[in-house]
Amino acid sequence: MEPLVTFADLFPNGIWRYAAGGALIGLGTAAIYLGTAIPAGASTFFESTLSYVSDVPRFNRAKYVASRDWRVAFTLSIVAGAAIYAFAFGDFGWTTSVSWPRLFVGGVLVGVGTRIGKGCTSGHGICGVGSVAPTSLVNVATFLGVAIVTAQLMQAAGVSP
Amino acid sequence: MPLIVVGGLVFGFGLGLSHMARPEVVLDFLQFEDFGLLFVLGVGSVVAGTAFAVGVHVLDRAPLTGRPYARRLKSFDRNVLTGGVIFGVGWGISGICPGAAYASVGVGNYPILLAIAGMFLGAYAQGLWRARTDDAAAATPTSD
């Protein structure tokens, strides 16, 4: 009897690169945490970097100003780490075909949403879920569910890519 | 700082290898065409979670900062849901989140800079709006 859904249907690109990539994401987070006790998320970078150029008190809170230098270093290292991957695997120069209005509008909403919601995919998703923090689990379930509905609606509306 | 750099390099390499830096792969996941991203989030949070558990239960203070180890806990309020919904719509539209966007720059995906500009704009607008509403709340006499 044929199974209804096969493994290959669910994972057309296999799983090793996803699992290995996830392990490295976790490992990078773990190394920083074990050395510094800082749960490193990616999205606080926005406020902490805005504190260089904005006088708005909200961006100049002590926790943002104190962390802004290492957050810039962290972000540039992420860029560099991905570049090393890209050159090692001959992937450099790949560009997305997702249209620019989607990138921009999506980016604005992501910027607003992570700041209101106290974290992003790495802050809540990796560090928060890794901490088994109820707030993070709720946030991740919310954004995953909403993102799935949004993406499916866009697909149904024929927006591609 | 060197540890932050090494951690960032590994983190970014992982984002590249996992293809999270490609919005198309994220959208394929959200559209149920490739469930591989479950392994990224799953394995990533288990590995990080192991470090968090070891830090909290076995170790005392971080060698480099002297900070005590603690779980990443944030207070729960309605903003967590509101923010999650807005973030979810943005992620579903674009297939991009902050860390993956930085990594995407690293693979040479320059159109992503527009998404990052959008994120900064969104974070800036949210900060301004929040500052204004906080001021308004502070200016209102609450008790006497």
Side-chain angles (χ1 to χ4, degrees):
Chain A
M1 198 172 100
E2 285 283 306
L4 216 53
V5 182
T6 66
F7 189 80
D9 290 336
L10 296 178
F11 303 100
N13 297 304
I15 60 164
W16 86 264
R17 74 181 189 203
Y18 295 118
L24 290 173
I25 294 169
L27 213 61
T29 311
I32 292 174
Y33 180 77
L34 289 176
T36 65
I38 296 170
S43 59
T44 310
F45 172 67
F46 300 129
E47 284 117 330
S48 66
T49 303
L50 284 167
S51 76
Y52 287 110
V53 295
S54 166
D55 292 332
V56 176
R58 191 170 175 81
F59 303 129
N60 284 281
R61 290 180 181 179
K63 63 172 175 175
Y64 297 145
V65 173
S67 71
R68 63 187 186 179
D69 291 340
W70 73 253
R71 286 189 192 279
V72 169
F74 180 53
T75 300
L76 291 178
S77 305
I78 293 175
V79 175
I84 294 170
Y85 150 79
F87 282 111
F89 284 76
D91 217 10
F92 191 79
W94 176 88
T95 52
T96 183
S97 51
V98 173
S99 64
W100 69 264
R102 288 178 71 177
L103 292 176
F104 183 70
V105 173
V108 171
L109 292 171
V110 164
V112 173
T114 62
R115 300 304 74 216
I116 294 181
K118 308 177 187 180
C120 62
T121 357
S122 55
H124 275 310
I126 301 292
C127 297
V129 170
S131 296
V132 208
T135 297
S136 295
L137 294 170
V138 171
N139 182 271
V140 170
T142 307
F143 76 62
L144 260 182
V146 171
I148 287 168
V149 171
T150 305
Q152 305 259 0
L153 286 176
M154 303 253 323
Q155 189 181 38
V159 185
S160 173
Chain B
M1 196 65 95
L3 178 69
I4 298 278
V5 171
V6 171
L9 287 173
V10 175
F11 191 95
F13 192 99
L15 280 167
L17 182 64
S18 67
H19 281 40
M20 280 282 291
R22 297 188 175 210
E24 279 86 343
V25 173
V26 176
L27 292 171
D28 279 350
F29 165 67
L30 296 173
Q31 291 165 351
F32 299 153
E33 281 156 21
D34 182 349
F35 285 90
L37 249 59
L38 288 176
F39 278 86
V40 181
L41 290 170
V43 175
S45 53
V46 166
V47 171
T50 307
F52 277 71
V54 168
V56 171
H57 296 293
V58 181
L59 304 173
D60 182 27
R61 280 174 186 274
L64 298 180
T65 57
R67 283 169 51 134
Y69 291 106
R71 292 161 66 202
R72 182 192 183 278
L73 300 173
K74 299 252 171 169
S75 59
F76 183 81
D77 53 40
R78 216 172 51 199
N79 285 337
V80 172
L81 291 177
T82 313
V85 169
I86 296 173
F87 177 71
V89 174
W91 203 36
I93 288 177
S94 62
I96 239 4
C97 59
Y102 313 151
S104 208
V105 174
V107 302
N109 180 25
Y110 63 88
I112 214 71
L113 292 170
L114 201 61
I116 295 179
M119 290 179 201
F120 267 107
L121 205 65
Y124 186 66
Q126 193 270 340
L128 280 187
W129 174 76
R130 190 78 152 257
R132 189 170 299 174
T133 49
D134 286 354
D135 285 350
T140 312
T142 47
S143 64
D144 49 8

